[in-house]
Amino acid sequence: METSAGGVVYRMGEDGAPRFLLIRDPYENWGLPKGHLEGRETPREAAVREVREETGLADLRLVGDLPTIDWYFRDGAVLVHKYCHFFLLESAAGEAAPQLDEGITACVWHPFTETLAEVSYANARSVIEAAGKQLGLEG
């Protein structure tokens, strides 16, 4: 079993509507910034750290909890059950820059409906939908 944490990051656009951040991962898929817990980190602490590391955004405010998702994958002959805790994070300022040394090749901001359409993973889409509901949006 593995545990990780990540964030649905948003900021308000000039039109007053939120924009959501997606990253392009090493598999060329669009997803959410996330990563493993380190040491005695809580999932909240890990989510903020991972978003900072993977996007370069330093000015982050934790707004609320989002669903935890889980999935299975193979690591060689071992079947791993992974859990990822997600949190809604607001980024008021700063330019997102992909962490190239981890294979993240792009960071983009999209309106809510485009974010839902662009994200590659169905379980991440459900987390983005939950974030939208917290912000009063419908998908």
Side-chain angles (χ1 to χ4, degrees):
M1 187 175 86
E2 288 185 11
T3 303
S4 60
V8 175
V9 183
Y10 78 97
R11 70 170 42 154
M12 300 311 287
E14 291 180 9
D15 61 358
R19 301 290 189 266
F20 294 86
L21 183 67
L22 291 177
I23 63 168
R24 189 168 50 213
D25 68 22
Y27 309 103
E28 297 293 312
N29 292 311
W30 290 101
L32 300 169
K34 65 186 180 311
H36 294 96
L37 276 65
E38 294 181 358
R40 304 187 111 194
E41 271 183 324
T42 66
R44 285 174 170 241
E45 292 166 337
V48 172
R49 178 186 51 75
E50 285 290 341
V51 169
R52 283 183 178 143
E53 288 177 0
E54 292 189 356
T55 68
L57 295 170
D59 182 14
L60 298 169
R61 181 177 70 90
L62 199 142
V63 175
D65 296 350
L66 293 171
T68 297
I69 59 175
D70 69 303
W71 64 94
Y72 291 89
F73 68 92
R74 287 215 170 268
D75 185 5
V78 178
L79 182 64
V80 178
H81 191 182
K82 185 164 189 163
Y83 292 87
C84 189
H85 303 269
F86 279 98
F87 301 90
L88 183 60
L89 301 170
E90 182 179 22
S91 169
E95 293 298 320
Q99 184 184 24
L100 299 173
D101 62 339
E102 293 233 357
I104 298 166
T105 57
C107 296
V108 296
W109 295 95
H110 288 302
F112 183 61
T113 54
E114 288 179 36
T115 304
L116 291 173
E118 190 72 26
V119 69
S120 300
Y121 304 102
N123 56 5
R125 188 171 299 109
S126 69
V127 174
I128 295 165
E129 288 171 342
K133 284 183 182 176
Q134 280 195 31
L135 295 171
L137 305 170
E138 294 297 323

